[in-house]
Amino acid sequence: MEFIVTKDYKSMSTLAAERIVEQVRENPRSVLGLATGSTPEGLYAELVAAYRVGDVDFAGITTFNLDEYCGLSPDHSQSYHYFMREHLISHVNIDEARAFIPNEELVNDRPAWETYSARMDAAGGVDLQLLGIGQNGHIGFNEPDDNFSKGCHIVELTESTIQANSRLFDSVDEVPRRAYTMGIGDIMKARRVILVASGDSKAESVRDSFFGPVTPRIPASILQFHHNICVIVDEAAAKLCPVG
Ligand code: F6R
């Protein structure tokens, strides 16, 4: 495991964006697993800037987002479809036909939904999976549980996630209670993982995930078993970790 502590949010974002740009330059047909949330906003802005100055070309890539709320239309301002358009897809030359995000259509037809994982496999598997982390150690929307999940599925969000995400909605009652997510098995199949975390509110989950026992009660802890993971955290998120 590569565990990198950066001075601040900006340098965390820059480093993560550089790694993604390198990946796409090395393999212009890369399959990227993408995350939403506040943490990757800065790195997406850096990817857009790199594209604008001609440092990277996204025309050949395929993307699979980790997750989406159930019941929000793609045009809802808090949907992850909307987020991806706002922060990345509409600013760069990613082919929208190859930018996959879980959605209702896939879930209403269960066999089709199961093919979200199969579709990732058919695309050759994910070359680089970008992750954030929840305050309770969730990755994607895989919440603390008795078991690690395998493929894509629907989850009931925990109260702590609903509260954490309510900052982005007008009221806590508007936060959807369910979401679609890639499974832990899907995430672990990625050839390479980059996890980013910033701020004091992530300090406990970063310590517990990367320096504690591996347990489904802290879903990100399974990443300790990934063969190619880079954790990039700022000083605030690393403050409880036993690193120099
Ligand atoms: C979002 C996702 C979530 C977030 C996590 C942290 O696609 O997969 O696991 O990464 O909830 O969110 P932020 O970055 O908003 O703190």
Side-chain angles (χ1 to χ4, degrees):
M1 175 172 76
E2 198 183 3
F3 190 88
I4 302 173
V5 182
T6 64
K7 191 164 70 61
D8 52 22
Y9 176 76
K10 169 85 178 135
S11 40
M12 177 207 78
S13 303
T14 304
L15 183 58
E18 281 170 3
R19 300 272 174 120
I20 295 170
V21 166
E22 275 164 27
Q23 168 70 41
V24 175
R25 280 195 184 151
E26 274 166 27
N27 176 8
R29 302 198 67 77
S30 289
V31 178
L32 303 184
L34 297 179
T36 58
S38 306
T39 316
E41 285 182 12
L43 77 86
Y44 286 144
E46 302 231 11
L47 292 182
V48 171
Y51 168 74
R52 286 194 174 139
V53 297
D55 275 354
V56 62
D57 178 4
F58 293 109
I61 71 165
T62 299
T63 64
F64 287 93
N65 262 74
L66 279 164
D67 47 13
E68 176 59 291
Y69 289 114
C70 293
L72 294 192
S73 83
D75 292 329
H76 189 289
S77 64
Q78 294 311 325
S79 78
Y80 292 169
H81 283 74
Y82 187 92
F83 177 101
M84 290 311 297
R85 280 201 306 277
E86 284 291 295
H87 291 280
L88 187 65
I89 292 172
S90 58
H91 306 290
V92 300
N93 63 340
I94 290 175
D95 181 349
E96 286 205 42
R98 289 201 311 275
F100 299 105
I101 303 181
N103 68 32
E104 247 170 79
E105 264 168 49
L106 290 169
V107 166
N108 287 339
D109 176 357
R110 189 165 167 77
W113 168 243
E114 284 169 351
T115 65
Y116 195 75
S117 301
R119 194 179 283 177
M120 285 192 278
D121 291 342
V126 171
D127 293 302
L128 188 161
Q129 176 67 56
L130 175 66
L131 297 173
I133 185 170
Q135 291 173 21
N136 60 6
H138 72 218
I139 46 177
F141 269 133
N142 294 282
E143 298 283 28
D145 202 348
D146 294 336
N147 301 291
F148 290 112
S149 62
K150 293 179 190 162
C152 298
H153 59 289
I154 295 182
V155 288
E156 304 288 332
L157 300 183
T158 61
E159 200 47 42
S160 90
T161 298
I162 292 167
Q163 289 297 335
N165 291 6
S166 66
R167 71 191 192 280
L168 303 166
F169 289 79
D170 288 339
S171 81
V172 70
D173 297 335
E174 286 182 27
V175 184
R177 268 40 188 175
R178 301 192 329 148
Y180 317 123
T181 184
M182 278 187 201
I184 295 286
D186 294 317
I187 293 169
M188 289 297 282
K189 279 200 272 180
R191 281 184 270 282
R192 179 179 176 193
V193 175
I194 294 180
L195 182 141
V196 286
S198 167
D200 299 304
S201 68
K202 301 295 172 66
E204 276 185 31
S205 64
V206 168
R207 177 198 59 199
D208 294 348
S209 298
F210 299 107
F211 298 94
V214 172
T215 162
R217 306 308 317 171
I218 304 166
S221 66
I222 190 78
L223 296 168
Q224 292 181 51
F225 291 155
H226 197 281
H227 60 283
N228 187 356
I229 169 142
C230 176
V231 180
I232 307 176
V233 296
D234 66 12
E235 282 178 2
K239 71 179 184 185
L240 300 177
C241 294
V243 287

